Amino acid sequence: MSTQQEQPTDADDAGTGQADDAADAGPSPQDRRMDKKADRRIERERAAGATDADAETVHLKVFRYDPEVEGKQEPRFDDFHVPFEKGMTVLDALIYARDEFDPSLTFRHSCRQAVCGSDAFFVNGRQRLGCQTQISDLDGPVRVEPLPHQDVVKDLVVDMEHFYEQMHAVEPYFQEEDLPDGDLEEQYQTRENREKVKMSTRCIWCGACMSSCNIAAGDNEYLGPAAINKAYRFAMDDREGEELKEHRLRIMEQEHGVWRCQTQFSCTEVCPKDIPLTEHIQELKREAVKKNLKFW
Amino acid sequence: MYEHDVIVVGAGGAGLRAAIAAHEAGADVAMVTKLHPVRSHTGAAEGGINAAIRDGDDWELHAYDTMKGSDYLGDAPAIETLAQDSPEDTITLEHWGMPFSREEDGTVSQRPFGGLSFPRTTYAGAETGHHLLHTMYEQVVKRGIQVYDEWYVMNLAVTDEPDPNDRSCHGVVAYDVQSGQIQGFKANDGVILATGGPGQAFDHTTNAVSCTGDGQAMAYRAGVPLEDMEFVQFHPTTLPSTGVLISEGVRGEGGILYNEDGERFMFEHGYANNDGELASRDVVSRAELTEVNEGRGVEDEYVNLDMRHLGEERIMDRLENILHLAEDFEGVDGLVEPMPVKPGQHYEMGGIETDENGATCVDGLYAAGECACVSVHGANRLGGNALPELIVFGKRAGRHAAGEELGAAEILTGYGDDVEDETDVGAPVEPGLAGIDETSPASGVAADGSGQTMASDAVLEQAVEAERTRVDHLMDTDDGVNHADIRSKLQRAMTDYVNVFRTEDGVKKALEIIRECREEYQRVGVSDPSRTFNTDLQMTYETRNLIDVAETIALGALVRNEFRGAHWRQENQIRDDENWLKHTMITWDDGAPSIWYRPVILEGEEKTYEPKVRSY
């Protein structure tokens, strides 16, 4: 399918030279997001009157494809006009279109609250979670496509197998075997260390980052931001010992590991959980160097 | 056909824990899930895991709090097992790397939760379920346990002897969502249902759209009783427009509820003079709706939950996720304004009747987690008690199914000598089957007249054929009714009439509408002609399950004419221990449901729990 290669429409603030920004102790992505949220709220309040008056229906343009149904084997866009309600998300609009107009409209979704990671779509040229995206924040018509750079199974459903394989390739599980004696004895961890891995543990495996990554698009074996972040989550967790950390860094510095990243920050931009993915990848590069490990 | 020792259906917290336990016990185990494991709704749990792991606390206090919270409808052997096993099973998660929040000394953090006498809710931010789910999935990957993801289980392969206690389960029938192929999964040692709750039976729910009660409905139709289904927890703090959950952790950390007049009504209107906002969930939900019904609600719909006084630092440290949820799904900034909240369906206390080893009355069929009813939660679940239930009883079911000896169960299952029949259900319409269902149940008796029980392969093969026939029928039905219309009608009826406050007339009205839904379902059809990722077909199956489960909720709500825990009846607003210290059991009886009762077990290991007035 050729839904790829569209440039994010609102990526102006992604800009260039962000690798330098990352090295500075500027505002954290979390702070930036909080600021952006405040701005968006003000914007929404300002626009509220106008929105209510002129946006009674939402115009959706939805990508359609089904390999075995006549008329859908050639990808096309279908138009749906859905009654707008305050607070409506892209997912709400899709559900309405499916339940009221076309039961064959197909997309993954489950929790409706940005934690199951099922409904990452390409909305108006950018990877977003359908449930987390307010219609009122988008320009119409709202164009909804499957995630770029992944095979389309049907409509908005993409094949996630490759993404899962990459996640599994980094030994994504805690491996420390030197545990405290006694079934009721916990391992100790400092608050600082827990804080250190906190953002990395928030990944919901939605695949938005991988889909946004130009390097992953060109190198199918590249582990990708989500899998590297998963490795970061364990490599930086002090509960795993030094030996394991070195083992994990060795995996990271393979040919298709961290050194492939060209710090374009697209993954960080689209992550719905605000994980500073690029910074995590950069930090693993530094750690690998620090350990004085030989890389390819 | 696929074949494994143990098949786990569902891959949320209970399913993952069961699979790991069965694997550790040496079984060849496979998980079959309609989602991918990390998409499971356990990931949305926020608050934490109750476990008595600190000095000054002990399992007996946890058991006592849970029994009191259950309004004396939990079974003591189940509750004591939960309280005893939770500490070790919680620490196991820590040993698997789960990123719990930490104290200054590096130990895992615990916080106060509603109805607890000790702050024993062990947490990882306000996203404990997400971390629990991912940590356990990681361990499944580590062990190389086979996962069939996006395979929808359509039915169980259970024999059909007249008495369900004589039946046995030999596997499941599932369909590969991506390709549409239907396959049998043979289970040599056991099938464990871990399919979660039926929240989608309601209109306003915190539950995912995937929470459709599939396991409960399948077990029910296979002859297993559903227990205490009328006890549905309505969480007091859900966002009004979407039902998204705002964790009890907000009140645990000191969040305050106000009505429109700015009154702290939990105290000022005397709902819970001691514990206020941290009273049990049923108490707070009723208080909120009473405020709204008496004209003190904001916009006549909700109340305000204020956490601003906790300060940004504490909120960011412990409740950051709540800020994002309130902003993304209600457009409210919890740092600068109170958050609107109202009660929403959250949890089904009842479920598939099991003993404390997860076993049902059908040989080889187990259940664990929200879909099961051991019964730990009785008439009301305490916050922080769902996650320990997943790990404690998931693990036990996995071990037992894999053949480990766990000792004889004290809790009885199946219709037996200890039960009491309901003779006057008083339903306004016939519950149960509408029309002829030629495709079920799978006949487990050989058709050659010999009366011989069929071999397990044949039972499974017959079940597979039945589902193939059903799918063909659904796909061939032109101009059929759309399942979505039936589902939304059902959801509205349940939220309108089987909500926090229930009346006899209202529940009867709901039963009538459920009957209409059943009749409309006779004409349901799947309009998507594709075999590829046909969610129309899957949701049509789910809607049938929702109808069956919703009916058991309404039937239970009709017969239980008392006020206990989450179940309130206008006609008799007292807890009636004289008549109602018993579980409501509903069996499908091949399409003509019957109701009976099993006494609650209040005798614990060392003491008997005496029902007391439940005040907070």
Side-chain angles (χ1 to χ4, degrees):
Chain A
M1 295 309 92
S2 56
T3 63
Q4 290 90 334
Q5 311 307 345
E6 278 191 53
Q7 287 303 310
T9 53
D10 51 352
D12 296 345
D13 55 347
T16 51
Q18 291 222 351
D20 294 334
D21 293 350
D24 299 337
S28 72
Q30 203 170 316
D31 293 337
R32 287 204 296 271
R33 182 168 191 239
M34 299 300 286
D35 290 346
K36 263 194 275 177
K37 280 185 170 193
D39 293 345
R40 282 213 307 275
R41 196 184 66 247
I42 293 162
E43 181 64 24
R44 265 214 301 279
E45 282 166 3
R46 200 175 55 76
T51 310
D52 288 345
D54 59 27
E56 282 165 354
T57 61
V58 184
H59 181 184
L60 293 178
K61 289 183 92 65
V62 186
F63 180 91
R64 306 301 301 273
Y65 165 76
D66 188 317
E68 57 169 310
V69 172
E70 208 176 319
K72 279 181 81 181
Q73 285 155 339
E74 277 303 310
R76 63 166 200 245
F77 281 86
D78 278 357
D79 297 281
F80 297 99
H81 295 272
V82 172
F84 176 78
E85 280 181 34
K86 186 171 171 285
M88 181 175 249
T89 63
V90 170
L91 178 63
D92 293 335
L94 287 170
I95 290 173
Y96 189 96
R98 181 195 64 199
D99 289 352
E100 302 296 327
F101 303 138
D102 182 355
S104 73
L105 178 59
T106 303
F107 46 92
R108 290 192 182 96
H109 64 120
S110 185
C111 76
R112 311 163 297 143
Q113 58 186 79
V115 73
C116 76
S118 305
D119 68 339
F121 307 128
F122 199 55
V123 182
N124 281 4
R126 178 190 164 114
Q127 288 82 1
R128 316 171 197 251
L129 295 184
C131 64
Q132 205 186 24
T133 306
Q134 291 284 325
I135 291 284
S136 58
D137 289 343
L138 300 170
D139 293 329
V142 176
R143 196 176 159 95
V144 190
E145 300 166 75
L147 286 182
H149 305 131
Q150 277 154 289
D151 289 336
V152 178
V153 176
K154 175 177 171 182
D155 293 352
L156 301 176
V157 175
V158 295
D159 188 344
M160 294 289 287
E161 266 326 294
H162 179 60
F163 177 83
Y164 294 143
E165 278 165 17
Q166 302 305 74
M167 295 300 282
H168 291 174
V170 299
E171 301 182 11
Y173 34 79
F174 192 75
Q175 300 189 57
E176 184 57 51
E177 282 172 7
D178 187 16
L179 294 169
D181 294 334
D183 294 331
L184 293 173
E185 292 290 317
E186 70 239 65
Q187 305 165 88
Y188 286 38
Q189 182 182 29
T190 64
R191 282 189 166 184
E192 292 70 28
N193 187 243
R194 200 264 173 182
E195 194 63 25
K196 172 97 186 156
V197 299
K198 181 174 92 175
M199 294 307 288
S200 67
T201 62
R202 290 194 175 160
C203 176
I204 54 173
W205 298 43
C206 68
C209 56
M210 184 83 131
S211 167
S212 77
C213 176
N214 280 331
I215 312 302
D219 172 9
N220 205 39
E221 289 178 64
Y222 174 44
L223 289 170
I228 294 175
N229 175 70
K230 193 74 170 172
Y232 175 98
R233 177 254 171 281
F234 290 108
M236 296 300 168
D237 191 321
D238 286 345
R239 289 176 295 173
E240 279 193 349
E242 278 301 308
E243 262 178 56
L244 273 168
K245 183 169 182 175
E246 283 185 30
H247 171 67
R248 291 192 182 280
L249 289 172
R250 254 177 257 126
I251 297 174
M252 283 303 101
E253 58 170 10
Q254 293 170 49
E255 186 180 349
H256 302 282
V258 287
W259 298 104
R260 285 272 152 169
C261 171
Q262 296 179 4
T263 55
Q264 295 176 345
F265 281 86
S266 59
C267 55
T268 306
E269 276 302 312
V270 300
C271 177
K273 305 310 276 188
D274 301 326
I275 303 170
L277 294 158
T278 313
E279 289 168 33
H280 287 171
I281 298 170
Q282 291 297 88
E283 196 173 342
L284 284 173
K285 289 179 185 172
R286 287 196 295 273
E287 287 288 312
V289 173
K290 240 176 17 193
K291 290 284 169 199
N292 205 14
L293 292 171
K294 222 176 83 187
F295 45 88
W296 91 96
Chain B
M1 188 177 81
Y2 299 96
E3 181 174 347
H4 295 277
D5 295 339
V6 176
I7 302 275
V8 180
V9 183
L16 291 166
R17 192 64 189 85
I20 293 168
H23 179 83
E24 286 183 339
D28 162 28
V29 57
M31 314 191 70
V32 186
T33 167
K34 66 181 179 179
L35 304 167
H36 179 280
V38 301
R39 318 286 174 215
S40 307
H41 199 55
T42 297
E46 294 168 6
I49 311 169
N50 292 339
I53 56 175
R54 293 283 173 250
D55 288 346
D57 196 7
D58 70 53
W59 73 263
E60 287 174 307
L61 290 172
H62 183 187
Y64 176 80
D65 292 342
T66 303
M67 182 60 92
K68 179 182 170 189
S70 83
D71 222 352
Y72 302 92
L73 200 69
D75 285 320
I79 287 174
E80 294 191 343
T81 300
L82 177 90
Q84 287 166 347
D85 288 7
S86 179
E88 181 184 328
D89 291 346
T90 302
I91 295 299
T92 297
L93 295 171
E94 199 286 326
H95 288 178
W96 288 343
M98 182 163 157
F100 284 106
S101 294
R102 297 283 167 166
E103 294 302 303
E104 280 300 340
D105 65 358
T107 55
V108 298
S109 294
Q110 297 195 305
R111 65 179 160 210
F113 243 50
L116 300 185
S117 58
F118 188 93
R120 71 171 71 87
T121 306
T122 322
Y123 65 96
E127 47 205 23
T128 312
H130 165 79
H131 293 307
L132 177 127
L133 180 71
H134 282 257
T135 300
M136 287 204 286
Y137 178 62
E138 289 159 12
Q139 293 298 310
V140 161
V141 172
K142 183 180 183 183
R143 288 162 172 76
I145 293 170
Q146 172 120 36
V147 179
Y148 299 89
D149 65 307
E150 293 184 334
W151 277 80
Y152 180 71
V153 173
M154 318 166 93
N155 212 348
L156 308 173
V158 173
T159 58
D160 75 341
E161 290 82 355
D163 182 348
N165 295 340
D166 297 332
R167 294 178 189 170
S168 54
C169 181
H170 300 277
V172 303
V173 185
Y175 112 101
D176 178 11
V177 179
Q178 186 146 339
S179 73
Q181 64 158 312
I182 298 169
Q183 285 286 353
F185 286 75
K186 187 179 172 190
N188 295 319
D189 296 337
V191 169
I192 302 172
L193 296 172
T195 52
Q200 285 295 319
F202 290 80
D203 191 19
H204 187 83
T205 174
T206 64
N207 284 195
V209 290
S210 305
C211 298
T212 51
D214 298 334
Q216 293 177 339
M218 289 188 293
Y220 177 53
R221 291 193 297 262
V224 181
L226 294 186
E227 175 175 355
D228 291 336
M229 292 298 285
E230 65 271 32
F231 294 102
V232 178
Q233 179 161 85
F234 296 89
H235 196 289
T237 55
T238 72
L239 296 175
S241 57
T242 54
V244 165
L245 175 68
I246 296 300
S247 171
E248 185 163 318
V250 175
R251 284 170 291 135
E253 299 290 350
I256 295 174
L257 290 167
Y258 294 106
N259 64 17
E260 191 186 28
D261 304 330
E263 294 171 311
R264 192 176 178 181
F265 56 89
M266 289 307 299
F267 290 104
E268 292 185 47
H269 290 270
Y271 298 106
N273 289 324
N274 295 318
D275 292 359
E277 283 82 4
L278 274 184
S280 188
R281 288 178 178 176
D282 56 321
V283 175
V284 182
S285 282
R286 277 191 299 273
E288 290 176 2
L289 273 194
T290 302
E291 290 297 300
V292 172
N293 291 342
E294 293 180 0
R296 295 187 296 275
V298 186
E299 292 180 15
D300 284 332
E301 191 194 358
Y302 55 86
V303 297
N304 281 325
L305 174 62
D306 197 345
M307 63 175 181
R308 291 173 294 180
H309 57 285
L310 301 179
E312 182 166 351
E313 192 183 338
R314 185 157 163 202
I315 292 171
M316 288 303 288
D317 182 39
R318 303 181 186 187
L319 299 166
E320 185 196 334
N321 184 42
I322 300 304
L323 287 181
H324 300 316
L325 292 174
E327 206 276 340
D328 290 342
F329 300 103
E330 202 66 48
V332 166
D333 183 347
L335 289 177
V336 300
E337 59 198 316
M339 300 174 284
V341 292
K342 73 175 195 181
Q345 192 282 345
H346 182 55
Y347 187 87
E348 170 61 61
M349 267 74 74
I352 301 163
E353 185 202 38
T354 72
D355 64 24
E356 57 271 43
N357 299 329
T360 71
C361 65
V362 168
D363 188 42
L365 183 62
Y366 296 79
E370 186 177 345
C371 74
C373 182
V374 191
S375 150
V376 167
H377 311 302
N380 174 64
R381 175 173 72 75
L382 291 183
N385 262 354
L387 298 183
E389 182 191 18
L390 303 185
I391 54 175
V392 167
F393 292 102
K395 179 181 171 186
R396 292 179 74 87
R399 292 176 63 197
H400 199 268
E404 276 197 19
E405 187 52 57
L406 297 181
E410 288 177 55
I411 293 169
L412 300 174
T413 57
Y415 187 91
D417 295 336
D418 61 323
V419 311
E420 167 199 341
D421 288 307
E422 175 60 74
T423 51
D424 181 19
V425 175
V429 287
E430 279 298 313
L433 206 60
I436 301 161
D437 183 2
E438 288 170 351
T439 54
S440 75
S443 170
V445 181
D448 60 4
S450 66
Q452 292 291 308
T453 303
M454 287 163 73
S456 55
D457 280 6
V459 174
L460 182 56
E461 211 34 63
Q462 195 163 46
V464 169
E465 276 315 307
E467 296 314 313
R468 289 193 174 131
T469 305
R470 187 189 307 278
V471 168
D472 288 344
H473 172 72
L474 290 170
M475 302 281 283
D476 291 344
T477 301
D478 295 325
D479 298 326
V481 180
N482 181 0
H483 70 83
D485 296 337
I486 304 174
R487 188 185 289 211
S488 61
K489 180 173 174 173
L490 180 80
Q491 291 170 332
R492 277 199 306 275
M494 293 299 284
T495 291
D496 286 349
Y497 301 116
V498 199
N499 212 305
V500 174
F501 293 117
R502 296 164 174 178
T503 67
E504 182 180 340
D505 287 348
V507 173
K508 283 184 170 171
K509 180 78 186 156
L511 282 165
E512 286 168 6
I513 297 171
I514 292 167
R515 185 71 199 175
E516 287 171 26
C517 291
R518 277 193 188 287
E519 282 162 8
E520 284 166 26
Y521 195 88
Q522 293 295 108
R523 304 190 307 280
V524 78
V526 174
S527 56
D528 185 347
S530 180
R531 292 272 170 178
T532 302
F533 225 98
N534 192 330
T535 51
D536 190 13
L537 173 63
Q538 182 181 327
M539 292 179 78
T540 301
Y541 260 78
E542 291 170 342
T543 298
R544 174 185 183 220
N545 292 334
L546 285 171
I547 294 171
D548 285 341
V549 173
E551 188 173 74
T552 64
I553 296 169
L555 281 171
L558 179 65
V559 293
R560 186 175 288 271
N561 185 21
E562 67 156 347
F563 163 30
R564 182 180 301 273
H567 174 68
W568 181 95
R569 272 288 295 273
Q570 186 189 45
E571 295 81 9
N572 195 16
Q573 300 175 28
I574 53 158
R575 189 178 81 191
D576 182 358
D577 288 343
E578 185 99 2
N579 295 305
W580 286 102
L581 276 175
K582 59 190 182 188
H583 300 293
T584 315
M585 315 296 299
I586 305 186
T587 36
W588 176 243
D589 286 355
D590 298 328
S594 61
I595 299 183
W596 39 282
Y597 304 100
R598 165 163 275 137
V600 64
I601 306 173
L602 296 176
E603 293 79 31
E605 225 171 64
E606 284 171 5
K607 67 172 177 194
T608 294
Y609 298 83
E610 293 296 335
K612 290 181 190 152
V613 175
R614 188 163 153 265
S615 65
Y616 287 100

